[in-house]
Amino acid sequence: QARQAGGDTLVHYSEEINAQAGARLALEARLRHAVERHELELHYQPQQSLADGNLVGFEALVRWRRDGQLVPPDQFIALAEESGLIVELGNWVLEEACRQLHAWQAMGVAPMVAVNISPRQFAAPGFLPHIEALLATSGVNPAQLELEITESVVMEDAEGAIALLRRLRELGLTLAIDDFGTGYSSLAYLSRFPIHKLKIDQSFVRNMQGVAEQAAIVQATIGLGHSLGLTVIAEGVETEAQRALLSGWQCDQIQGYHYSRPLPALAASRFLHASDQRQAA
Ligand code: C2E
Ligand code: MG
Ligand code: MG
């Protein structure tokens, strides 16, 4: 009886694996055409300076419009990364973000626009040439284009990654470490990264008030960032209480639902103009 039950479980289990593999292949096939079918779009999440309350820029976040539904990136970025599709997808994101940035520049406003770069995209041989070509053709000011990389890019080839970051910095780009504190990079490496900005991961911000250790980590990270000459931004700030704490700890910037959710391009333009007028007033 027991063996029977065990056998059934195994059958169900392998059926489930087959179904999952099938769904995955189907998803990959659709994702392969998402770029050419114009199914991808960027939303822009505002980032705020804590010193004066002004808008500093936006993080571009990709979405996949599939059958009228907006699919969030955690449902396809990992697959794109594993299948190699991330290079084409990532190039589209960079081009679209530059197009938007240029349009904003042409309207006389100059926000930063940050783009997420996945580890495989960063490691691809064509990455630097693509960025160089993009800067040459798009007409954007490189200082207003920010690249977000995670600590994991240095896992395999730290020296190569540092050299590439240096080249990107020489092009005038702004460089940020995303999800800081969740990876495995050592502090020794951090001090060697030629970066401008640290993004404190939202998992620390979420528990900052309840858990004393998490508060200590956030405060220490702000101090560490500043002592390395970096701008520090906290991600996932959802409440006024969190904003006030971070402000008291001299954190430079915040990003999160408290200031704004990610916005479609048109709404982001309106947000930009509204804050521009507030600043001028
Ligand atoms: P991320 O780069 O750390 O982006 C921040 C994520 O946190 C976004 O999720 C954003 O919508 C969400 N978020 C912002 N504020 C809050 C808040 O106050 N509370 C909560 N709970 N969440 C908040 P999203 O857009 O779903 O993106 C998830 C991840 O997907 C990103 O994390 C990034 O790693 C990846 N991703 C997004 N767009 C791209 C892209 O164009 N290329 C690559 N390679 N990865 C991307
Ligand atoms: Mg990011
Ligand atoms: Mg992040």
Side-chain angles (χ1 to χ4, degrees):
Q1 188 73 38
R3 190 181 292 162
Q4 177 82 39
D8 275 0
T9 308
L10 204 62
V11 169
H12 285 308
Y13 185 62
S14 69
E15 274 171 2
E16 207 173 288
I17 288 182
N18 270 333
Q20 275 175 9
R24 205 184 136 87
L25 278 176
L27 190 67
E28 190 180 319
R30 291 203 60 173
L31 187 56
R32 202 169 286 281
H33 299 288
V35 173
E36 60 205 55
R37 289 186 188 148
H38 307 287
E39 291 175 351
L40 298 179
E41 56 187 82
L42 293 183
H43 285 199
Y44 297 88
Q45 186 173 35
Q47 302 177 330
Q48 183 183 37
S49 159
L50 284 173
D52 53 19
N54 288 341
L55 172 80
V56 278
F58 298 93
E59 176 174 5
L61 296 158
V62 72
R63 272 93 182 92
W64 182 9
R65 193 171 288 282
R66 208 177 56 197
D67 310 322
Q69 303 265 76
L70 218 51
V71 184
D74 43 301
Q75 288 182 34
F76 60 89
I77 288 290
L79 180 65
E81 178 85 8
E82 286 154 28
S83 60
L85 289 171
I86 193 69
V87 172
E88 193 195 347
L89 189 153
N91 284 343
W92 178 84
V93 170
L94 274 165
E95 283 155 26
E96 177 62 17
C98 284
R99 198 196 53 72
Q100 183 62 67
L101 179 55
H102 188 258
W104 282 331
Q105 283 175 9
M107 292 189 266
V109 281
M112 299 283 304
V113 173
V115 174
N116 292 282
I117 306 297
S118 85
R120 185 152 174 189
Q121 184 186 3
F122 185 82
F127 181 65
L128 183 64
H130 183 256
I131 293 274
E132 285 171 327
L134 196 57
L135 289 178
T137 55
S138 68
V140 305
N141 172 8
Q144 273 156 253
L145 181 62
E146 181 171 310
L147 303 184
E148 295 189 3
I149 54 152
T150 54
E151 296 160 80
S152 53
V153 302
V154 294
M155 290 264 287
E156 272 171 31
D157 174 16
E159 295 309 320
I162 291 169
L164 179 51
L165 288 172
R166 217 172 273 141
R167 294 289 303 276
L168 294 166
R169 193 184 164 115
E170 282 161 11
L171 292 176
L173 297 166
T174 299
L175 304 175
I177 299 276
D178 200 1
D179 306 335
F180 183 71
T182 61
Y184 300 93
S185 70
S186 72
L187 294 179
Y189 273 129
L190 182 65
S191 68
R192 294 189 50 213
F193 289 166
I195 54 166
H196 303 87
K197 190 167 171 180
L198 276 190
K199 301 194 77 178
I200 301 179
D201 189 67
Q202 45 184 287
S203 59
F204 301 109
V205 175
R206 193 172 305 132
N207 299 314
M208 223 164 49
Q209 284 148 289
V211 188
E213 290 82 358
Q214 302 279 316
I217 289 175
V218 172
Q219 280 188 80
T221 307
I222 295 167
L224 172 70
H226 287 166
S227 62
L228 293 173
L230 307 175
T231 300
V232 180
I233 181 167
E235 296 191 83
V237 178
E238 294 185 351
T239 66
E240 171 55 30
Q242 289 169 339
R243 191 208 62 81
L245 268 181
L246 290 159
S247 179
W249 295 336
Q250 313 302 318
C251 189
D252 302 294
Q253 300 169 2
I254 55 167
Q255 178 181 340
Y257 298 165
H258 175 65
Y259 185 48
S260 172
R261 293 193 168 247
L263 305 168
L266 191 63
S269 295
R270 281 197 217 103
F271 193 99
L272 181 60
H273 286 294
S275 49
D276 204 45
Q277 265 155 15
R278 260 198 309 280
Q279 266 168 257

